[in-house]
Amino acid sequence: MVKRTLGNSGIEVSALGLGCMSMTSAYGPAADKGEMIQLIRSAHDKGITFFDTAEAYGPFANEELVGKALEPIREQVVIATKFGFDIDPETGKRSPGTNSRPDHIKAAAEACLKRLRTDNIDLFYQHRVDPNVPIEEVAGAVKDLIAEGKVRHFGLSEAGIGTIRKAHAVQPVTALQSEYSLFWRGPEDDVLPVLEELGIGFVPFSPLGAGFLTGQIDENTKFDPSDFRNHVPRFSPEARKANMVLVHAVQAAAQRKCATPAQIALAWLLAQKPWIVPIPGTTKISRMEENLGAVDVQLTEVDLQQIEEATSKLSLEGTRLPDAMLKMTGI
């Protein structure tokens, strides 16, 4: 597996990571725990060393799954998890909104360590910016955890450039995790230039557009009632039908390169910057293996230009998240 370094941090990971959220939540009922442990270990066998989870996924169930799966190979992998929602570290009871008070961050870290069966968290992200706690205090709390050896690197998720700069001045930010794909190119306008300036790595989640870019979803697709896409404007049947023009463009590029649409979408992300590490998620070993094939897809300048011409000026319908969730991003 090709390796990449997240910004100036020196933390080296596989060029593609594995997002584990869908294994226990969000895209429907939780998958079989034994099968998911097998998937995670198979991913490592094939070269993936970067695994992403969060206390909020479950809550707790995803971290427990990832911790059990990676315990035998802990020293060979990089584990990223997240704090920041108002979740009781002991009971898992979730209250509305965020909670990044320093005492809560430290309590959350202790609980994460236990669930992940490890002595340290490689990359500890603030899941969403807390408008009630200055980011300098958040960065300071994580800086304390780093000094104690409980955390190795600090990350932010869906943060705006002002927050990134303020946090980075207190404790260097290793990586930003935010949505980025051919389906959502918002970070290109201001976020990517700031990350490059500061030497911060970028970890795109939903690099396949929550499955849309694979070509396996259309306006007739029925999602499980518990699937979060039922509540996303961009995944309404009308929006899916209108946005198929993007899928067709990706499929055309895939045909030219003898690849799959998913591989083209991931290869395009990898071609944007050498410090970008996408984390596609899946519950199927076959899809994980397909995604890994993206590393071998070499997009030339001509290929990239063709994709740009076919996709950049498309007017896609629907917002990428429900309004309530959008208000928690870019702060």
Side-chain angles (χ1 to χ4, degrees), residues 15-313:
L16 282 182
L18 182 65
C20 299
M21 178 183 74
S22 63
M23 298 177 186
T24 56
S25 63
Y27 289 87
D32 179 82
K33 186 174 182 179
E35 292 178 3
M36 294 305 95
I37 290 173
Q38 181 183 1
L39 190 161
I40 291 170
R41 292 179 180 169
S42 177
H44 176 258
D45 289 342
K46 294 184 178 300
I48 291 178
T49 64
F50 188 34
F51 297 85
D52 184 86
T53 183
E55 65 167 358
Y57 303 158
F60 303 166
N62 203 260
E63 284 186 326
E64 291 169 351
L65 170 70
V66 171
K68 183 174 182 179
L70 296 179
E71 187 176 23
I73 51 174
R74 175 65 186 98
E75 299 307 313
Q76 303 170 41
V77 299
V78 172
I79 300 176
T81 193
K82 310 174 195 73
F83 67 88
F85 285 110
D86 197 2
I87 302 170
D88 187 298
E90 296 183 2
T91 67
K93 181 180 179 181
R94 184 166 177 172
S95 301
T98 52
N99 185 346
S100 281
R101 298 192 316 272
D103 60 335
H104 187 81
I105 293 172
K106 294 177 180 181
E110 294 292 346
C112 290
L113 288 167
K114 291 178 182 177
R115 290 189 293 270
L116 292 170
R117 307 185 184 198
T118 184
D119 294 329
N120 62 80
I121 299 165
D122 296 303
L123 180 54
F124 203 33
Y125 295 103
Q126 182 188 36
H127 209 152
R128 290 293 185 273
V129 175
D130 188 336
N132 298 313
V133 180
I135 193 62
E136 292 88 348
E137 293 184 15
V138 175
V142 178
K143 186 173 185 175
D144 291 343
L145 290 167
I146 292 173
E148 294 170 14
K150 296 175 180 178
V151 170
R152 292 180 59 208
H153 296 272
F154 177 36
L156 296 171
S157 179
E158 292 274 46
I161 58 175
T163 296
I164 295 168
R165 288 187 183 280
K166 291 177 183 177
H168 192 70
V170 175
Q171 169 60 44
V173 176
T174 290
L176 175 76
Q177 181 179 128
S178 291
E179 185 170 356
Y180 182 38
S181 70
L182 283 166
F183 201 29
W184 170 249
R185 298 179 62 170
E188 294 175 349
D189 296 335
D190 53 7
V191 171
L192 291 185
V194 169
L195 299 184
E196 188 155 38
E197 172 196 338
L198 299 177
I200 298 172
F202 189 45
V203 180
F205 69 80
S206 292
L208 298 176
F212 190 68
L213 295 174
T214 66
Q216 303 298 311
I217 295 172
D218 61 22
E219 69 271 22
N220 298 313
T221 301
K222 301 297 182 184
F223 299 121
D224 183 90
S226 62
D227 193 310
F228 85 99
R229 288 172 292 189
N230 288 306
H231 309 290
V232 176
R234 188 160 279 194
F235 277 92
S236 71
E238 297 78 14
R240 278 181 268 155
K241 182 176 182 179
N243 294 337
M244 284 302 295
V245 62
L246 172 61
V247 175
H248 296 154
V250 175
Q251 289 172 329
Q255 290 176 351
R256 292 194 297 268
K257 299 297 290 186
C258 297
T260 68
Q263 290 169 346
I264 290 297
L266 293 170
W268 177 84
L269 272 173
L270 291 170
Q272 300 310 299
K273 298 290 181 182
W275 35 267
I276 288 178
V277 180
I279 49 168
T282 183
T283 57
K284 297 180 175 62
I285 289 179
S286 61
R287 292 301 184 194
M288 179 269 292
E289 293 173 340
E290 175 188 349
N291 292 341
L292 285 178
V295 177
D296 298 320
V297 177
Q298 299 298 317
L299 297 178
T300 66
E301 289 298 323
V302 172
D303 293 328
L304 291 169
Q305 183 177 352
Q306 289 176 329
I307 293 172
E308 184 72 11
E309 291 174 350
T311 64
S312 63
K313 295 182 180 179

